[in-house]
Amino acid sequence: MTATEPPAPVLILGGTGEARALAAALVADGIACVSSLAGRVSDPALPAGEVRIGGFGGSDGLAAWLADHHCTTVVDATHPFAQQISRNAADAARATGAHMISLRRPPWTPGPDDHWTTVSDIGAAAAHVGTRARRVFLTTGRQDVGAFADIDDSWFLIRVVDPPTGSLPRRHRVLRSRGPYRLADEREILRDNHIDTLVTKNSGGDLTSAKLRAAAELGVEVVMVQRPAPPDHGQVVTSVDAALRAVRGAALPG
């Protein structure tokens, strides 16, 4: 890189709250960064600094982008269930020798008042719901709603940011909203809709955890989908501060 070329950016993958907080901290520190959003959510909250929207074309395309931009540090701050981009990032980092940092918020854990049924994947969640639930609050994201489409005996309140993709259950109502959510509002949703089962993914974090506290207070069962295992590559951190320290160590000269 010549003296006239811009500094190599840190690539931040993901539109999570942690990704935005990290981008803001890097920009404040004067560290160049590019935040990459998948483009699956309309009107996303944009982070500070440069932003690109859309895929790279798999791990090879991502590796080519890293090489073209002389990027030596990648932060995977995607949603914990965004398996494909996390695998692509790990493969691209291996191929290019880039330093890989995975920012993973801690998962939720049940407390003494929680009534959780933990399942391995969304298919297992649908199978469990089909055998017992009657009034379901479904908060797994728009791409997973189709797994519940064949359940006719349950009614679903489906909360999404953007309209669901795929088929919908016969008996349902779609509620479009974006977090963070307040505990009082989550209580009201559960009570007013006579919810007996909440289905969610173990994404962790504070933005959407109020539904779990409300469910515990009201005795609502929670069907919790476990996280997939992350790629076994790179450095794993669990907070924005730790990610910032890791980026500083990897990206700054000396």
Side-chain angles (χ1 to χ4, degrees):
M1 184 166 57
T2 68
T4 59
E5 290 179 324
V10 175
L11 178 63
I12 303 174
L13 301 171
T16 59
E18 291 86 356
R20 293 193 298 274
L22 178 60
L26 292 177
V27 169
D29 265 10
I31 300 175
C33 65
V34 176
S35 295
S36 179
L37 310 182
R40 294 192 179 95
V41 176
S42 64
D43 192 26
L46 296 180
E50 185 178 345
V51 178
R52 72 177 301 279
I53 296 178
F56 291 91
S59 59
D60 291 342
L62 178 50
W65 190 96
L66 296 177
D68 289 345
H69 292 78
H70 309 288
C71 179
T72 59
T73 304
V74 181
V75 181
D76 176 13
T78 57
H79 191 279
F81 285 80
Q83 292 176 271
Q84 188 59 59
I85 185 59
S86 292
R87 285 194 294 264
N88 289 346
D91 290 344
R94 288 190 191 96
T96 62
H99 185 67
M100 179 78 190
I101 302 167
S102 294
L103 174 52
R104 291 286 176 258
R105 67 184 76 141
W108 294 315
T109 56
D113 297 325
D114 290 299
H115 177 35
W116 285 17
T117 297
T118 302
V119 295
S120 58
D121 54 37
I122 201 69
H128 181 83
V129 166
T131 62
R132 55 190 299 162
R134 291 296 173 263
R135 306 278 297 184
V136 182
F137 188 24
L138 186 60
T139 66
T140 57
R142 66 187 183 118
Q143 293 180 302
D144 293 313
V145 176
F148 301 84
D150 294 332
I151 301 175
D152 292 332
D153 293 336
S154 300
W155 179 87
F156 292 85
L157 177 64
I158 303 169
R159 185 163 70 189
V160 289
V161 176
D162 290 321
T165 59
S167 302
L168 299 176
R170 181 175 61 85
R171 302 171 60 214
H172 74 272
R173 179 165 72 90
V174 173
L175 173 62
R176 291 186 59 185
S177 66
R178 189 194 302 267
Y181 301 105
R182 301 186 309 165
L183 178 58
D185 296 333
E186 299 294 63
R187 283 196 205 102
E188 184 177 354
I189 285 175
L190 296 179
R191 284 175 174 153
D192 289 356
N193 292 281
H194 307 288
I195 299 297
D196 59 57
T197 304
L198 165 66
V199 182
T200 193
K201 293 176 175 178
N202 198 336
S203 57
D206 296 328
L207 291 181
T208 61
S209 63
K211 61 190 174 186
L212 301 176
R213 298 197 299 275
E217 289 180 9
L218 299 175
V220 171
E221 180 186 12
V222 175
V223 179
M224 183 68 71
V225 180
Q226 290 180 314
R227 293 182 181 186
D232 185 17
H233 180 71
Q235 179 180 3
V236 178
V237 296
T238 58
S239 70
V240 173
D241 286 344
L244 182 60
R245 290 192 296 271
V247 168
R248 285 170 176 157
L252 295 180

